[in-house]
Amino acid sequence: MTIELTDNGIEIEMAESDEFSLDAMFDWLERMPVPEGFKAEIVEGAVVMSPQRDNHWDIIAAIYDQLRTRYPRKRVKSDVRIDFPGRLNGFACDVVALREGAEKEKGLWQYQDIEFVAEVISRGTSRNDYGLKLKAYAVAEVPVYLIVDPYSGTWRRYTLPKDGKYHHYLTLDFGEPVDLTETVVGLTLDTAEFDRG
């Protein structure tokens, strides 16, 4: 096991071993003292803990509130473990909207039931959000993936997943609406109150 402390979070890389499963890793993680104000998830076998800043939460809350105009409360989730395709991917997505009729299996929501995922960038997680998670969401064929980057003041919407990649994306600045009316989500997200930094 390797533990790396950075200015933006903590990353723990587990040694390659057949004995590790996502369930075993999450059992271990639940016994580990995760610092207050940090989110923990597993990305390709690495435990990633990132700080949840005030602005980060404000953007998540704004997205959640807007999704609630279309989705019932129990179909919108935040920081809940969902396992994705790939090697040991147990993500705690910032915001997830589930399809009608979604049900847990073995205590977990299923990636096949996701209609929308949003990730709000933290400095230490951007390489995952723009890289490993982008690929995992495309392989899982999540219909809409939204990355919100408060450091650049931009958002990026990915749609049309097929054959392990998204075939359409759009990037615009905060203040420009995220038009999801032609997707399964069927609404427009207002980004006027998203703050930079």
Side-chain angles (χ1 to χ4, degrees):
M1 172 174 36
T2 305
I3 300 175
E4 179 181 340
L5 302 172
T6 69
D7 292 338
N8 301 306
I10 302 167
E11 188 165 326
I12 302 170
E13 184 76 38
M14 304 301 289
E16 291 286 332
S17 172
D18 292 336
E19 70 183 75
F20 287 111
S21 68
L22 278 174
D23 288 336
M25 291 178 75
F26 273 103
D27 286 344
W28 172 78
L29 189 58
E30 286 176 11
R31 290 190 300 273
M32 188 177 131
V34 175
E36 188 167 333
F38 278 70
K39 171 177 98 169
E41 59 188 345
I42 299 170
V43 180
E44 289 202 334
V47 177
V48 179
M49 288 185 261
S50 55
Q52 301 296 290
R53 293 183 172 81
D54 194 42
N55 186 42
H56 187 99
W57 170 245
D58 287 341
I59 293 171
I60 291 169
I63 294 168
Y64 175 89
D65 289 345
Q66 293 178 70
L67 288 173
R68 286 281 291 114
T69 64
R70 181 181 177 303
Y71 290 88
R73 181 182 58 79
K74 291 193 175 195
R75 287 178 43 209
V76 182
K77 305 295 175 189
S78 179
D79 289 344
V80 174
R81 174 186 168 189
I82 300 174
D83 296 347
F84 285 88
R87 182 185 164 271
L88 298 175
N89 284 324
F91 302 159
C93 313
D94 287 332
V95 184
V96 170
L98 299 167
R99 70 171 179 80
E100 187 173 350
E103 292 186 17
K104 289 183 178 181
E105 288 184 27
K106 298 181 182 177
L108 297 175
W109 296 105
Q110 302 300 297
Y111 72 83
Q112 297 91 334
D113 292 329
I114 295 174
E115 293 184 339
F116 171 88
V117 170
E119 296 287 2
V120 181
I121 297 294
S122 293
R123 289 191 201 279
T125 65
S126 63
R127 71 176 183 215
N128 288 335
D129 296 332
Y130 284 112
L132 299 172
K133 285 186 173 184
L134 173 63
K135 180 175 171 114
Y137 294 147
V139 169
E141 296 191 352
V142 172
V144 179
Y145 174 36
L146 178 68
I147 298 176
V148 179
D149 190 337
Y151 302 102
S152 66
T154 61
W155 56 261
R156 183 173 281 199
R157 180 198 67 201
Y158 293 90
T159 55
L160 303 176
K162 187 176 179 189
D163 300 326
K165 64 182 182 176
Y166 283 101
H167 292 271
H168 186 265
Y169 72 89
L170 174 66
T171 302
L172 290 172
D173 294 331
F174 286 4
E176 296 293 329
V178 182
D179 185 357
L180 303 174
T181 56
E182 294 184 14
T183 72
V184 67
V185 179
L187 56 79
T188 298
L189 297 175
D190 183 2
T191 68
E193 293 185 7
F194 290 6
D195 289 328
R196 292 181 66 128

